């Protein structure tokens, strides 16, 4: 059974935000046929209770505690070294020692890196076969952020975009193969780093349609008589913050002129002060909830007005799997294998959102039909097994005599 080193920038459990959903399902897929040695960061101390769940999937595990404020300060060292700030943000001596020890003591056949920031830990072994799941072109994200901020942050974001692109290109040139979540991101990266174009491919996101499914006895979290709009996501992620603040200011007041019972529910962990400030009669900010499914199942419409997000959004796939009508930003819909107007609806301007949401509220039969069609679409096109099977031809394949399974002896550390 081949040995894999899997390096992930955020602990892939619980799968409660977009990147963690993808990395968790990738970990499960790898662990089914490989011995996986996982090195990762924990940026939320509440996740510590889930370490045993990860340990059960791994032959070896190291979790380094990441303190976001300290990491932000440490990242500024990149200004002196000329490196991307992202690399210093995720630089940790304990994790590097664990990686070095693992490479020295275990027969590692291949390294899989989740996000470019983790490639730095495999650089000391240039002959080690390497696969990289970039997910999105993060350098383009930083460059896009620059256009939405004033100096000095615009300069800092623009610099990060330039420095990170150079690093992404170097990592891709070193890797056997690199992956992005959509064909559009693949096309973009190939144009930015043409030297690696032939080794860059799409590896789409998926959804667990068995978990995200309608249940008749699931109680509604909403008040009687209200028409709930729902947005889900980690609410300390700036594209999500931008989305809800923009929607609450530009779209919701227009909708409530005709429908005063309409209320926006912002459902997700770690809401920033800007998000918490939105709370009022028309907006509910829940913070962390034990289960997002009741909010999705009983939503009148799920909205995803993401103006800055990249790639396939798990929040959209989950809402579609729950048979809910979804109105999402046009770029988010364009990357989906889904029929605009039949399985999902796209919008760009505030008037588009008002028109689409109002139409769905006025035509509940059409909204229900769209929800059913959306679930069929994700079951057909976005099963995790089918998506991750595209990775299999690139994984280590030689098969020495398998070692007996001894999960109780699996090495683990927590720094």
């Amino acid at each position: 059974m081949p040995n894999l080193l899997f390096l992930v920038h955020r602990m892939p459990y619980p799968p409660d935000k977009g990147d963690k959903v993808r990395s968790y399902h990738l970990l499960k897929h790898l662990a089914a046929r490989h011995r996986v040695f996982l090195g990762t960061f924990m940026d939320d101390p509440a996740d510590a209770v889930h370490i045993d769940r990860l340990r059960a999937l791994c032959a070896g595990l190291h979790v380094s505690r990441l303190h976001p404020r300290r990491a932000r300060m440490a990242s500024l060292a990149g200004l002196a070294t000329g490196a991307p700030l992202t690399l210093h943000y995720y630089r940790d001596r304990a994790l590097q020692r664990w990686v070095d020890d693992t490479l020295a003591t275990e027969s590692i056949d291949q390294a899989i890196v989740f996000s470019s920031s983790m490639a730095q830990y495999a650089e000391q072994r240039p002959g080690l076969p390497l696969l990289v799941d970039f997910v999105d072109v993060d350098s383009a994200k930083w460059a896009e952020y620059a256009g939405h901020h004033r100096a000095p942050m615009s300069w800092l974001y623009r610099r990060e975009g330039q420095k990170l692109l150079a690093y992404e290109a170097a990592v891709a040139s070193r890797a056997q193969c690199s992956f992005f979540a959509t064909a559009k991101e693949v096309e973009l990266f190939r144009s930015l780093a043409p030297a690696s174009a032939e080794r860059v491919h799409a590896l789409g996101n998926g959804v667990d349609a068995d978990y995200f499914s309608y249940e008749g006895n699931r109680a509604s979290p909403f008040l009687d008589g209200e028409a709930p709009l729902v947005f889900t996501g980690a609410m300390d992620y700036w594209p999500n913050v931008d989305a809800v603040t923009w929607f609450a200011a530009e779209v919701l007041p227009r909708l409530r002129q005709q429908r005063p019972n309409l209320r926006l529910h912002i459902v997700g962990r770690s809401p920033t002060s800007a998000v918490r400030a939105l709370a009022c009669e028309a907006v509910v900010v829940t913070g962390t909830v034990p289960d997002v499914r009741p909010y999705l199942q009983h939503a009148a419409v799920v909205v995803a007005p993401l103006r800055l997000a990249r790639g396939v959004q798990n929040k959209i796939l989950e809402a579609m799997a729950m048979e809910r009508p979804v109105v999402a930003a046009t770029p988010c819909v364009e990357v989906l294998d889904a029929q605009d107007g039949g399985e999902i609806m796209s919008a760009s301007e505030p008037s588009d959102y008002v028109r689409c949401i109002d139409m769905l509220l006025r035509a509940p039969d059409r909204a229900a039909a769209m929800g059913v069609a959306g679930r069929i679409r994700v079951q057909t096109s976005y099963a995790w097994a089918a998506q991750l099977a595209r990775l299999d031809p690139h994984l280590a394949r030689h098969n020495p005599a398998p070692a007996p399974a001894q999960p109780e002896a699996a090495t683990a550390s927590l720094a």
Side-chain angles (χ1 to χ4, degrees), residues 231-294:
F231 177 95
T232 64
M235 295 316 304
D236 57 353
Y237 180 50
W238 189 57
N240 287 344
V241 175
D242 174 80
V244 296
T245 52
W246 176 83
F247 187 89
E250 301 295 334
V251 180
L252 190 60
R254 303 188 192 189
L255 287 166
R256 281 177 57 86
Q257 287 179 359
Q258 300 298 324
R259 296 179 179 275
N261 67 328
L262 202 69
R263 184 175 293 171
L264 173 65
H265 292 257
I266 302 171
V267 183
R269 60 188 288 182
S270 305
T272 64
S273 57
V275 175
R276 294 194 302 270
L278 297 175
C280 62
E281 180 186 357
V283 180
V284 176
V285 180
T286 69
T288 301
V289 297
D291 190 347
V292 73
R293 291 174 296 177

Side-chain angles (χ1 to χ4, degrees), residues 51 61 78 91 111 134 144 208 217 241 311 322 340:
I51 289 177
L61 173 66
R91 188 159 292 173
F134 286 98
E144 189 174 3
D208 185 345
N217 60 351
V241 175
M322 295 291 298
D340 188 359

Side-chain angles (χ1 to χ4, degrees), residues 201-230:
H201 304 285
L203 183 69
N205 279 345
V207 63
D208 185 345
D210 291 331
Y211 180 81
F212 287 98
S213 60
Y214 180 92
E215 289 184 9
N217 60 351
R218 187 175 285 139
S220 172
F222 306 122
L223 298 175
D224 291 339
E226 74 171 301
L229 305 181
V230 171

Side-chain angles (χ1 to χ4, degrees), residues 22 132-138 140 165 172 177-204 310-312 335 390:
R22 182 177 173 98
V132 182
D133 185 2
F134 286 98
V135 188
D136 300 320
V137 185
D138 284 338
L165 174 58
C177 193
S178 300
F179 301 95
F180 292 88
T182 70
K184 187 175 181 180
E185 293 291 282
V186 168
E187 182 181 354
L188 173 61
F189 190 75
R190 285 174 174 172
S191 70
L192 296 172
S196 304
E198 294 183 357
R199 302 194 307 279
V200 178
H201 304 285
L203 183 69
R310 311 189 66 83
V312 175
V335 299
R390 301 174 186 176

Side-chain angles (χ1 to χ4, degrees), residues 314-336:
N314 289 294
K315 59 170 60 70
I316 294 177
L317 298 182
E318 291 164 0
M320 293 172 70
M322 295 291 298
E323 301 184 27
R324 289 295 81 205
V326 180
V327 180
T330 298
C332 295
V333 175
E334 289 176 340
V335 299
L336 292 176

